[in-house]
Amino acid sequence: MNDASELHRTLVRQLRRLDLDPETMPSPASWRKLLDILSTTYTEADDERYTLERSIEVSSREMRGLHEVLSRQAFQDPLTGLPNRKALIRHLDQSLAACARTGQGLAVLYVDLDGFKQVNDSLGHAVGDELLVLASQRIRACLRPEDVVARLGGDEFVVVCPNVYDSMVVPAIAARIGSQLAAPFPIGEHDAVVSASIGLATTTDGSASAENLLRQADLAMYEAKVGGKARTAIFDESMQKVVDTRFSVRNALGRAITGRELRVLYQPLVSLADERVIGVEALVRWERPGFGLLSPDAFIPIAEESPLISAVDCWVLQEACARGGQWCEAGASIAVNLSARTLQQDDIVRTLTQTLTKYSIPPNRLTMEITETALLSGTGTAQLNLGRLRELGVNLSIDDFGTGHSSLSQLQQTDVDVLKIDQSFVSTMDHDASSAAIVSAIITLGHALGLTLVAEGVERPAQARLLREQGCDSAQGWLFGRPLEPEAIDKAFGLSLPEFSLSQRP
Ligand code: C2E
Ligand code: MG
Ligand code: MG
């Protein structure tokens, strides 16, 4: 429609048909202008519409992409790209349903890296991250196509193996994973070394829930850890019993403190030079109704998993100070064990100060025994508390020395007074030359650092003789006295009091 007058004529015809007056309508020239305006407007509108349509298309494509990324992220571990816990549970639910339908076995492997924290702490988080990525690839390479590996977080991976017909298949996969992860990881200029503790749980009828099967594999993994690491343990019901026992001990122990079921026995500490009693160590016992007298091994490790241990430690401290005032007046010292967790308590030094004041015990009569590992790997609060204890004038002793992981330089930096040589060395020193050499080296080292040496677990005269020859200061052990009721200690001090008080008072 290029010709404006043709257009005009057409319009006039149309207007007449509509009963409108063409004389009032614009001239052909004006129509041309109007047409141009209309045409430009329509073209622009078209362009805009096109642009709008395009952008809607792009946005919806982007939205779809974004949705995919988000749903991937919700089910994917961002570091390794493996399925995460949420995805694992979903997959495990589906696998369990398939297992229930088909009756074909399903196995779960819970893989935890041993020594990963050390790699992270010593070589840095970037190396740690790379190790996790490489570990995930190594695990993947050990699996069958139908197996799935997920990362739960940290250094924990879970493998789901469906269609298990042969009972040897999954242990063989676990063995492959174990050996692959034990090989060094070359990262940059480092060779990072870890190993794997693996727990295995299986079901043949799919009746377990995903969470339950995972928990069983986790328990088995824990067994592998405590059994010495770098190994695979298979879940069995006895592991569940151990957990139940732990749970019931924890519950009952909470009541034991208020119910006065705890007791303290005191083991004499003797000077090796003349075998006189120069102090005692407070050792807790639990008179548990229905179970008899329990030794600390049966409940202290469980208490140490929760704040209960601090309640136990503080109760023992209070009891020992209440009972041992006269022993301290006679010049003896009282040693009390302090677990790592208690040492990290903000208010432990205040509690200790109040207890000493309440029972008029001079701080230098009290020795706090702390294990090597607790002492050297303590957090900021623990280190702060150690400093405060020093300021207070309380003695510090490293318990079970030789069994932890302290380096000599750490020992040099740690401000303690006493080293207690672990009984594992003492018990064999009279028939094993290397144990005797270790004990001798510890004594020389301790003395060089100005510390007092105590040998633990002396049972035979030959051990006492050797220790004396090597210059050890004092000893504890059944040879000199088992952990005793406080009345027996009263008696011991009553008998040796005159001579004792003369030579031992500062
Ligand atoms: P520990 O502090 O190293 O205490 C020495 C342990 O060796 C005691 O065991 C003692 O009875 C035992 N022992 C002493 N002489 C001999 C000996 O000649 N031969 C043998 N075979 N053993 C001997 P116990 O009383 O069973 O205590 C075990 C551990 O429990 C203690 O080791 C200590 O680490 C912990 N413990 C005890 N009481 C407390 C407490 O109140 N708080 C905390 N946190 N831990 C405690
Ligand atoms: Mg001790
Ligand atoms: Mg000890």
Side-chain angles (χ1 to χ4, degrees), residues 168-293:
M168 291 319 290
V169 168
V170 184
I173 293 176
R176 278 204 296 279
I177 294 175
S179 79
Q180 282 301 309
L181 294 180
F185 288 82
I187 301 171
E189 72 262 32
H190 305 290
D191 257 347
V193 179
V194 293
S195 57
S197 291
I198 303 174
L200 163 56
T202 46
T203 174
T204 45
D205 58 9
S207 59
S209 71
E211 290 289 355
N212 228 353
L213 200 58
L214 264 184
R215 195 164 42 242
Q216 292 181 349
D218 186 14
L219 273 179
M221 186 278 290
Y222 180 77
E223 252 342 272
K225 281 256 185 234
V226 295
K229 301 180 180 169
R231 64 195 62 213
T232 299
I234 300 174
F235 173 80
D236 71 59
E237 291 302 328
S238 69
M239 294 178 189
Q240 190 60 50
K241 281 208 187 82
V242 170
V243 173
D244 295 345
T245 307
R246 231 187 256 144
F247 184 73
S248 87
V249 164
R250 204 175 299 155
N251 278 342
L253 188 57
R255 293 189 297 271
I257 301 170
T258 44
R260 299 207 58 86
E261 293 169 14
L262 295 185
R263 280 168 44 190
V264 182
L265 297 185
Y266 301 88
Q267 185 174 36
L269 168 74
V270 301
S271 145
L272 268 171
D274 49 18
E275 297 195 4
R276 278 174 311 114
V277 181
I278 55 169
V280 290
E281 177 177 4
L283 295 161
V284 70
R285 298 289 182 269
W286 180 11
E287 192 86 61
R288 187 178 178 194
F291 291 83
L293 191 68

Side-chain angles (χ1 to χ4, degrees), residues 267 281 283-285 296-297 300 309 313 316 337 339 369 399-400 423 456-459 477-478 483:
Q267 185 174 36
E281 177 177 4
L283 295 161
V284 70
R285 298 289 182 269
D297 296 342
I300 288 288
I309 187 63
D313 281 353
V316 171
N337 292 283
S339 85
E369 293 194 3
D399 206 351
D400 307 339
Q423 58 175 281
E456 294 187 79
V458 180
E459 293 181 356
W478 295 348

Side-chain angles (χ1 to χ4, degrees), residues 201-468:
T202 46
T203 174
T204 45
D205 58 9
S207 59
S209 71
E211 290 289 355
N212 228 353
L213 200 58
L214 264 184
R215 195 164 42 242
Q216 292 181 349
D218 186 14
L219 273 179
M221 186 278 290
Y222 180 77
E223 252 342 272
K225 281 256 185 234
V226 295
K229 301 180 180 169
R231 64 195 62 213
T232 299
I234 300 174
F235 173 80
D236 71 59
E237 291 302 328
S238 69
M239 294 178 189
Q240 190 60 50
K241 281 208 187 82
V242 170
V243 173
D244 295 345
T245 307
R246 231 187 256 144
F247 184 73
S248 87
V249 164
R250 204 175 299 155
N251 278 342
L253 188 57
R255 293 189 297 271
I257 301 170
T258 44
R260 299 207 58 86
E261 293 169 14
L262 295 185
R263 280 168 44 190
V264 182
L265 297 185
Y266 301 88
Q267 185 174 36
L269 168 74
V270 301
S271 145
L272 268 171
D274 49 18
E275 297 195 4
R276 278 174 311 114
V277 181
I278 55 169
V280 290
E281 177 177 4
L283 295 161
V284 70
R285 298 289 182 269
W286 180 11
E287 192 86 61
R288 187 178 178 194
F291 291 83
L293 191 68
L294 299 185
S295 81
D297 296 342
F299 61 94
I300 288 288
I302 298 170
E304 280 178 332
E305 293 169 4
S306 74
L308 259 182
I309 187 63
S310 304
V312 173
D313 281 353
C314 290
W315 184 84
V316 171
L317 173 76
Q318 173 91 15
E319 181 69 16
C321 289
R323 199 61 183 79
Q326 290 163 296
W327 310 335
C328 291
E329 275 175 32
S333 63
I334 302 175
V336 176
N337 292 283
L338 204 62
S339 85
R341 208 177 177 125
T342 312
L343 186 63
Q344 284 166 20
Q345 294 278 316
D346 284 331
D347 55 355
I348 181 63
V349 180
R350 191 161 42 92
T351 307
L352 201 139
T353 313
Q354 285 167 352
T355 310
L356 289 176
T357 312
K358 182 173 176 191
Y359 297 106
S360 308
I361 309 259
N364 67 350
R365 291 283 161 226
L366 183 71
T367 302
M368 300 311 298
E369 293 194 3
I370 302 156
T371 60
E372 205 176 341
T373 317
L375 195 69
L376 300 169
S377 65
T379 59
T381 316
Q383 295 303 325
L384 220 67
N385 281 339
L386 282 173
R388 290 187 191 130
L389 288 176
R390 300 298 295 152
E391 277 169 28
L392 196 65
V394 166
N395 299 301
L396 292 180
S397 167
I398 302 189
D399 206 351
D400 307 339
F401 184 76
T403 55
H405 300 286
S406 60
S407 71
L408 295 183
S409 68
Q410 278 173 311
L411 186 61
Q412 195 184 16
Q413 285 158 24
T414 311
D415 195 8
V416 293
D417 310 274
V418 181
L419 281 192
K420 293 189 83 173
I421 309 167
D422 189 67
Q423 58 175 281
S424 57
F425 305 116
V426 176
S427 64
T428 49
M429 69 180 292
D430 50 344
H431 50 82
D432 175 37
S434 66
S435 295
I438 291 175
V439 171
S440 168
I442 296 177
I443 294 170
T444 310
L445 170 79
H447 281 160
L449 294 171
L451 308 178
T452 299
L453 273 297
V454 178
E456 294 187 79
V458 180
E459 293 181 356
R460 290 183 289 277
Q463 295 163 346
R465 186 173 44 75
L466 270 171
L467 286 162
R468 213 172 279 124

